[in-house]
Amino acid sequence: MCNLYSLNRPQDEIRRWFDVSQDSAGNLPPLPGIFPDQMAPVVSAGSAGRELTMMRWGIPGPKAYGEHPVTNVRNVRSPHWRPWLKPEFRCLVPVSSFSEYADTKPRKTPVWFALDDDRPLFAFAGIWRPWTGVRGTKKDNPDRIEEQHRLFSFLTTEANGVVGPVHPKAMPVLLTTKDECRVWLEAPTEEALRLQRPLPDGLMTEVARGERHDGEATGL
């Protein structure tokens, strides 16, 4: 499962690429390592156009499994996830690279993937939902105060030939064109879910290995 990704492109570029008309994300620094339960930029669509905003990564799973935050969603037929697959709850998660962990010894090795060595922008096919409860680390929320949150996760699919040798079980659903992003945000659910497929091998590559962050050394 992808539980680490980076976003190291300038904010103006993010706004342009995702056709953002409203930006409430504040001043975004480079984000070379985004981990579960952290706040991250997300693009959602509303009546006034697309908005770049901050949401927290991880939507609670089914009660039968303890409602633990789920970062990656594979089973889109599950009744737990179906309500959040409507257009109003789909979102785009801006990304410049993502990591899977190679099963090496004595510890696993982060392996980073991007569209090419320059780490151009793309998106994860995301979903989001409002939720009230206790979230954030004890450092962020030491008193464990219950608050209102906007939470996101993103879809995964079977691994392609680039990711598969490192993580054979799954990879994120990657959207690499503006048309794919439009379909994900606007199309009826069954049409949008046709995008839940592995990216062709030739459209991505491994770009780094060994660190839990990506982008700083490349000057992005």
Side-chain angles (χ1 to χ4, degrees):
M1 299 193 314
C2 175
N3 280 321
L4 173 60
Y5 70 97
S6 74
L7 178 61
N8 285 297
R9 307 307 307 184
Q11 193 163 353
D12 282 346
E13 181 182 342
I14 295 170
R15 285 192 290 254
R16 290 193 305 270
W17 202 92
F18 288 96
D19 296 324
V20 169
S21 57
Q22 299 181 79
D23 184 352
S24 60
N27 186 23
L28 286 178
L31 298 168
I34 301 170
F35 293 87
D37 209 32
Q38 290 184 346
M39 300 293 288
V42 171
V43 176
S44 59
S47 58
R50 295 184 186 179
E51 180 182 9
L52 180 67
T53 188
M54 301 296 286
M55 297 189 189
R56 191 174 294 279
W57 186 12
I59 294 177
K63 287 186 178 180
Y65 298 97
E67 295 187 292
H68 299 296
V70 174
T71 56
N72 299 195
V73 176
R74 181 73 175 268
N75 182 13
V76 295
R77 303 299 173 189
S78 165
H80 181 78
W81 299 114
R82 292 295 289 182
W84 314 113
L85 289 166
K86 298 174 183 177
E88 58 265 37
F89 293 111
R90 290 187 224 135
C91 62
L92 305 169
V93 183
V95 187
S96 54
S97 62
F98 71 93
S99 179
E100 301 285 5
Y101 284 85
D103 192 16
T104 52
K105 306 297 182 184
R107 62 186 61 183
K108 294 184 178 182
T109 301
V111 180
W112 289 89
F113 302 94
L115 301 188
D116 60 44
D117 288 336
D118 292 331
R119 279 82 159 173
L121 280 169
F122 61 94
F124 292 146
I127 57 174
W128 76 276
R129 63 160 294 182
W131 183 80
T132 300
V134 177
R135 288 296 295 269
T137 65
K138 289 186 178 180
K139 180 180 178 181
D140 297 333
N141 186 7
D143 296 326
R144 313 311 288 155
I145 297 171
E146 186 173 279
E147 298 175 310
Q148 292 185 335
H149 300 272
R150 289 194 294 177
L151 308 175
F152 77 94
S153 300
F154 51 78
L155 269 57
T156 59
T157 185
E158 59 267 26
N160 65 11
V162 179
V163 176
V166 174
H167 189 264
K169 291 184 179 180
M171 66 176 288
V173 173
L174 311 187
L175 309 177
T176 62
T177 70
K178 290 194 175 189
D179 186 61
E180 288 175 343
C181 290
R182 179 192 58 77
V183 169
W184 180 249
L185 287 181
E186 300 176 8
T189 301
E190 293 308 315
E191 179 182 348
L193 286 176
R194 295 185 193 125
L195 294 167
Q196 190 183 23
R197 76 289 179 262
L199 192 70
D201 295 358
L203 297 183
M204 62 179 295
T205 187
E206 179 184 324
V207 293
R209 185 176 285 244
E211 300 292 335
R212 298 180 75 209
H213 59 266
D214 181 59
E216 291 178 333
T218 65
L220 294 178

